[in-house]
Amino acid sequence: MDLTDVWNRVLGGQPSPQLELVLIAGAVALIAVLPWRVWRITRNVVTIAHEGGHALAAVLTGRRLTGIQLHSDTSGLTLTRGKPRGPGMVLTAAAGYVTPSLLGLGVAALLGAGKITLLLWIAIVLLAAMLVMIRNAFGVLSVLVTGGIVFAVSWYASTDIQAVFGYVIAWFLLLGGVRPVFELQRKRWRGRAPDSDADQLAKITGVAGGLWVTLFGLVSIASLVIGTTLLLPH
């Protein structure tokens, strides 16, 4: 396969799967999000998206990105340098919890346009860019495993398998973007998250942390609703 074939394969359109397969993909995503024992593992993917959101917002707003850490307890840390206040810091801190849902919405839009292979290769490029900034062993392993799975599906799997995999990713990001917001607020009620993104935003802006959590929740739920309409065949 030459470069032209690869390019055509990536940019070419693929037919959408039948409604039954879309619903099966949604059921698989639910299984990956709802049971706690499964969520302890799959939440690492949401953490990658979360920290990637912080990192991208930092770069786009002119902050200096110095490193990203992903931990085995599914927590993460994105280190940046710049002004401790101001729009750049606010956008960087606010990006984490909304990024998985917004990514899910973008994935749903690409799937609706039939760009399944393109979607998978965009994911690979983003993971590769993130890998450069990872600063701990578990983080490197998490990104490599995730990227390896996506690459294997994009390169070796049939069109039908790619489609189902893409829909599972979309459903997972849309559903998995909602749960961490509720987990965050539950931890805040119990006093177990004094340095959460919402509380850091409260210190920076003077807006109550609960209002920031509400904003995160509204974005994630709206993304789920809109994404669902994009994913279900018309």
Side-chain angles (χ1 to χ4, degrees):
M1 182 180 294
D2 59 26
L3 185 60
T4 302
D5 292 333
V6 173
W7 190 251
N8 290 334
R9 179 177 178 180
V10 171
L11 294 182
Q14 294 84 31
S16 300
Q18 296 180 346
L19 176 61
E20 291 79 4
L21 292 179
V22 176
L23 295 178
I24 290 173
V28 172
L30 275 175
I31 294 173
V33 170
L34 292 181
W36 170 244
R37 291 185 178 181
V38 179
W39 178 240
R40 288 176 60 187
I41 300 173
T42 58
R43 196 183 192 280
N44 285 290
V45 177
V46 176
T47 302
I48 291 174
H50 179 114
E51 300 304 327
H54 284 314
L56 180 60
V59 172
L60 293 178
T61 57
R63 297 184 63 81
R64 181 182 175 188
L65 178 63
T66 59
I68 302 170
Q69 296 180 13
L70 305 172
H71 304 136
S72 58
D73 63 355
T74 73
S75 65
L77 178 64
T78 299
L79 303 173
T80 66
R81 291 181 180 177
K83 295 180 179 179
R85 297 181 180 274
M89 187 62 202
V90 172
L91 290 173
T92 298
Y97 276 97
V98 300
T99 295
S101 295
L102 294 178
L103 277 177
L105 191 57
V107 170
L110 283 173
L111 291 174
K115 302 298 183 180
I116 298 169
T117 304
L118 176 61
L119 156 68
L120 298 177
W121 279 84
I122 289 175
I124 292 171
V125 170
L126 291 175
L127 288 168
M130 187 174 181
L131 181 62
V132 176
M133 299 306 301
I134 298 293
R135 295 293 182 263
N136 67 322
F138 182 83
V140 171
L141 179 62
S142 296
V143 174
L144 283 177
V145 169
T146 304
I149 293 172
V150 175
F151 174 78
V153 172
S154 68
W155 193 257
Y156 297 107
S158 66
T159 301
D160 290 338
I161 297 299
Q162 287 186 15
V164 174
F165 183 75
Y167 276 84
V168 170
I169 291 176
W171 283 119
F172 175 75
L173 289 172
L174 290 170
L175 294 167
V178 175
R179 179 165 180 172
V181 178
F182 288 92
E183 292 177 341
L184 168 64
Q185 187 56 30
R186 186 165 62 248
K187 288 181 180 180
R188 294 183 72 252
W189 281 336
R190 298 174 180 176
R192 294 170 52 193
D195 297 319
S196 70
D197 292 352
D199 292 285
Q200 290 184 37
L201 284 163
K203 295 176 183 178
I204 296 171
T205 64
V207 177
L211 292 179
W212 284 107
V213 176
T214 300
L215 175 62
F216 299 159
L218 290 174
V219 172
S220 63
I221 292 173
S223 297
L224 176 58
V225 172
I226 298 171
T228 299
T229 63
L230 294 173
L231 291 173
L232 294 178
H234 299 287

